[in-house]
Amino acid sequence: MRSSMLYIGVPLPLQRLQRIGSSMKPLICLSLLLTIAPSFSAQTAEAQPASITPVVQDARWAQRWWMPRYEEKLAEAGQRGDEARLLFIGDSITHYWDQGIWAENFDQFGAFNLGFSGDRTEHVLWRIQHGALANLSPEVTVIMIGTNNTGHGEGHAPADTLLGIEKIITEVQQRLPETKIILHSIFPRGATKDDPKRLINDKINEGIPALAQRKGVLHLDLNDLFLEKDGTLSRTVMPDLLHPEEYGYQLWAEGLMPTLNQLFGQAPKPAERKVIPLWPNGIPQPHDLALQEKIIERSWGNAVTNVDEPSLTLYLKKSRYPTGFVLVCPGGGYNILAWDHEGIQIAEWLNSIGFSAAILKYRVPKNREGALQDAQRALGYIRSKADEWNVQANRIGILGFSAGGHLSATASNRWADRTYPRVDAADDLSCRPDFTVLVYPAYMGDEELNLKDEFAITEETPPVFIVQTQDDTKYIPSAFAYSAALHKAGIPCELHIFPTGGHGYGLRPSAYPVSQWENLCRDWLRRQ
C-alpha cells in the first residue's frame, strides 16, 4: 500500500513556495528529512491513521484544478485579509454553495469559502498546515467535513474520522485563536436511514457533541432539516443524495443564520411590543373570571393558555406609505395558543414582507364563542386605527393556523352581525376581513369533504389562500370542503395541496416542499 506520508515531502516549484511564504519552511526541512531517512517517514505513516496524516489531494479527477484552486485561495486570502469575518472550511458540500443564497446570507460577513470538492480530513489538514489560514482572521469559522472519509476509497473508521475532525479544530485554534468555531454534524447521505454510508456518518455524528465540548466549540446539528420524518433524504434537497442544490442550500442557510447572527452580535433584540387590551369595559360573556394566564414551554416554542385578558400585540411596519395589515390567529385546538411559532414568528415574517400585523390573544381554553367575539372586536378596532397606524383600511386581513384557521374562516363569514354588545365607535366599523389566509385549517369539513353547516359562504366572503398537506389526514377535509364551497360561490381561492409535511409546521424549515408555503403566500398577499 502506498504511504500517504510521501506526499508531505513532495517539493513544490519555487514560485509556489514564494507564494506560500514562511509557512512552507517546515515543509522544505521535511523534504530533506524524507530524502535522508525514508524508512523513518514510512514508520511514522504506519503509526497514525490516514485521517490525520496531511496529504495533497491526488485523485485523478482533481489533479487539474485542486492545486490551482489552493493557490487562488492563498492569493485571495492575501488580498482580503481582515475583511473576511466568516470562514467556511469543508469539502464539495461547502465548495459548491448556491451563489445566490451565499450572497444573500453571507456577503454581509465578507464570507470566505475554503471548501474543496473531494477533500477528506487529511486534505484539509494539508491545506491548513501549508498556509491556507495565514492571512485570515475570521470572527467565526464554520466546519463541515468528514463524509468523504466515509465514502471515498476504502473509507475510514468512524473513530479515525473523528480524530481527523478533532485535528482540524486543533489546527484552526492554534492559527486563529480568536475565532469562534461552529462544528456541523456531517450532513445525511443516501436515500434512507439504513443506507450503509449514512449509518457510518451517523456513527461519526454520535461522537461530535462530545468532541465539540472537549474542544470548546459550538456544535450545530441541522440534519433534521434535510430529512423527512421517516428519515428519507429527498432528491428535492439533495438530487444525488449527497450534495445540496438550491433548496438544500436554502435549508442550510436558514438553519445556520440564527447562530451566525448571535455570534456576530446581530441577533435581533426582542422589541417591546405594545399590547392593547380588547375589552376596556370588561370582557363579555362567555368568560371565566377565575382564569389566570399560563405560559407553557414547548420544544417548538412557548404557548399560552387560560387567557384572562384578550389582547392585540402590535407589530407595526415602519413605512413611508400606508401598509396592509394582517391579524394573526395562532392555533392550538382552542385549548392553547401556539404563541411563538404561529404568532411571533408569523408577525415578524409579515413585517419582513411589508405588512403590519397584530397577534390576537383570543380566549382559550374551550371558548369558541368568546374567541369569535375577540376576532370581531379586533378587526373593527384595527380598522378604527388605520390612519394612526399608517394602515390601508381596505387591506386588513386575517391569517390563522389550525384552530386559528377555523376562527379566521368563521370571522370571514360571520362578520355581518356583532356577537357582543357595542363597546365604542370601533364597533360601528366593519369587522369583515378583506382577505383570509388559512394554514392547515381545522374543524371545517367532514369525512365526505362537505363543509359544516356553521359556514354560510356568500358573495361577500373574502378571497382566500389555503395551504394543506395530504398526510395531515385529520384536517385535510377542511381545506377541500372550504375551497369547494368558495368555488361554487365564485369567491377567489388559491389552494395549495402538498403530499407530505404533516401538521403544525408554521414557518419551520424542513425537507418538505410545503415549508416554502410562505413564498407562495407572500406573492398572494401582495396581490390583495
Side-chain angles (χ1 to χ4, degrees):
M1 179 181 293
R2 171 182 56 80
S3 170
S4 59
M5 278 294 290
L6 296 177
Y7 283 87
I8 298 178
V10 174
L12 298 175
L14 179 60
Q15 62 269 32
R16 290 185 183 175
L17 293 176
Q18 291 172 336
R19 288 176 190 156
I20 296 171
S22 60
S23 63
M24 285 294 293
K25 291 179 182 178
L27 179 61
I28 301 170
C29 297
L30 186 53
S31 298
L32 295 174
L33 178 60
L34 288 172
T35 304
I36 297 170
S39 61
F40 173 78
S41 62
Q43 291 171 359
T44 304
E46 294 297 327
Q48 61 182 9
S51 62
I52 61 171
T53 305
V55 293
V56 173
Q57 173 65 266
D58 67 338
R60 179 176 298 178
W61 48 264
Q63 289 176 356
R64 291 187 177 181
W65 64 264
W66 193 92
M67 188 59 72
R69 176 174 171 83
Y70 163 71
E71 294 180 330
E72 289 168 3
K73 289 297 178 181
L74 290 177
E76 183 182 353
Q79 293 171 356
R80 298 184 58 196
D82 291 344
E83 89 174 43
R85 301 170 59 210
L86 173 62
L87 174 65
F88 283 78
I89 295 175
D91 49 35
S92 55
I93 295 172
T94 297
H95 186 157
Y96 294 116
W97 260 100
D98 178 271
Q99 291 305 299
I101 295 170
W102 175 275
E104 180 181 352
N105 291 278
F106 310 134
D107 275 3
Q108 60 181 311
F109 307 121
F112 192 90
N113 191 328
L114 279 181
F116 279 52
S117 180
D119 271 15
R120 300 188 296 269
T121 55
E122 55 265 39
H123 305 123
V124 174
L125 287 169
W126 189 93
R127 290 193 275 121
I128 292 174
Q129 291 185 1
H130 292 81
L133 309 180
N135 292 295
L136 298 172
S137 55
E139 296 174 43
V140 179
T141 298
V142 178
I143 299 174
M144 212 288 288
I145 192 68
T147 199
N148 290 324
N149 294 65
T150 293
H152 279 190
E154 297 178 1
H156 297 159
D160 287 348
T161 301
L162 282 167
L163 288 174
I165 296 171
E166 182 169 9
K167 180 65 173 173
I168 289 171
I169 295 172
T170 300
E171 295 281 348
V172 171
Q173 289 176 328
Q174 288 175 349
R175 289 164 173 77
L176 305 172
E178 301 301 320
T179 198
K180 302 167 187 173
I181 296 176
I182 299 172
L183 176 63
H184 279 302
S185 292
I186 301 173
F187 288 172
R189 63 186 296 169
T192 61
K193 61 184 178 182
D194 57 357
D195 178 270
K197 290 177 181 176
R198 168 106 63 98
L199 291 173
I200 296 173
N201 280 1
D202 288 345
K203 193 68 176 177
I204 299 167
N205 287 338
E206 288 177 10
I208 283 182
L211 167 60
Q213 185 176 19
R214 187 167 62 251
K215 300 299 292 181
V217 304
L218 180 63
H219 170 228
L220 188 57
D221 184 353
L222 301 179
N223 287 7
D224 284 348
L225 296 182
F226 303 111
L227 299 173
E228 297 179 5
K229 291 179 181 178
D230 62 358
T232 298
L233 179 59
S234 169
R235 292 186 186 274
T236 305
V237 177
M238 298 183 187
D240 63 353
L241 303 178
L242 176 61
H243 299 90
E245 286 201 355
E246 182 177 2
Y247 186 38
Y249 281 115
Q250 184 63 46
L251 291 173
W252 186 2
E254 289 177 0
L256 178 59
M257 280 304 297
T259 302
L260 289 181
N261 284 331
Q262 183 178 9
L263 293 180
F264 280 106
Q266 297 182 192
K269 297 180 180 178
E272 289 189 8
R273 297 292 177 181
K274 186 175 183 180
V275 177
I276 301 173
L278 282 173
W279 305 101
N281 302 322
I283 301 169
Q285 290 299 317
H287 178 60
D288 184 354
L289 294 175
L291 287 176
Q292 291 186 332
E293 186 173 305
K294 181 181 178 182
I295 304 297
I296 303 172
E297 294 184 359
R298 300 284 179 88
S299 60
W300 37 261
N302 289 345
V304 177
T305 192
N306 293 353
V307 172
D308 54 8
E309 186 170 10
S311 63
L312 291 176
T313 302
L314 288 182
Y315 286 74
L316 297 180
K317 173 71 175 178
K318 292 183 179 180
S319 174
R320 184 176 179 182
Y321 302 104
T323 69
F325 195 104
V326 180
L327 178 65
V328 179
C329 302
Y334 282 110
N335 290 308
I336 65 171
L337 303 179
W339 193 256
D340 284 357
H341 89 285
E342 291 176 354
I344 293 174
Q345 292 177 16
I346 304 306
E348 291 176 345
W349 166 69
L350 287 164
N351 281 177
S352 77
I353 63 171
F355 285 79
S356 288
I359 310 171
L360 176 64
K361 184 177 285 186
Y362 58 89
R363 276 170 269 181
V364 291
K366 299 179 181 178
N367 192 346
R368 295 191 185 190
E369 185 179 346
L372 177 59
Q373 292 176 348
D374 297 337
Q376 289 184 331
R377 169 70 180 166
L379 287 162
Y381 185 82
I382 292 165
R383 191 160 275 119
S384 75
K385 295 290 184 178
D387 290 341
E388 180 182 337
W389 293 350
N390 195 31
V391 166
Q392 294 171 285
N394 62 347
R395 289 187 72 208
I396 298 172
I398 192 167
L399 182 159
F401 297 84
S402 193
H406 176 273
L407 175 59
S408 297
T410 303
S412 298
N413 290 280
R414 294 183 60 189
W415 50 268
D417 297 307
R418 290 294 206 280
T419 55
Y420 58 89
R422 181 183 184 276
V423 176
D424 53 31
D427 294 329
D428 298 331
L429 299 175
S430 173
C431 63
R432 175 188 178 272
D434 295 303
F435 52 86
T436 306
V437 176
L438 307 178
V439 185
Y440 41 83
Y443 318 134
M444 296 164 60
D446 62 24
E447 293 181 355
E448 280 69 45
L449 307 184
N450 297 310
L451 188 64
K452 293 187 176 180
D453 292 339
E454 64 186 274
F455 296 95
I457 307 299
T458 72
E459 62 183 12
E460 293 186 283
T461 298
V464 184
F465 175 97
I466 306 174
V467 62
Q468 180 64 53
T469 62
Q470 286 180 287
D471 63 350
D472 186 14
T473 54
K474 183 177 180 180
Y475 298 115
I476 193 171
S478 295
F480 280 129
Y482 196 60
S483 62
L486 292 167
H487 172 69
K488 290 178 182 178
I491 304 301
C493 175
E494 186 167 313
L495 172 65
H496 295 274
I497 302 291
F498 295 84
T500 52
H503 190 82
Y505 38 81
L507 289 176
R508 289 195 299 268
S510 76
Y512 300 103
V514 70
S515 70
Q516 297 296 305
W517 68 266
E518 69 267 27
N519 295 328
L520 299 168
C521 187
R522 173 201 62 203
D523 296 341
W524 185 86
L525 284 170
R526 288 173 174 170
R527 294 194 297 270
Q528 301 314 304

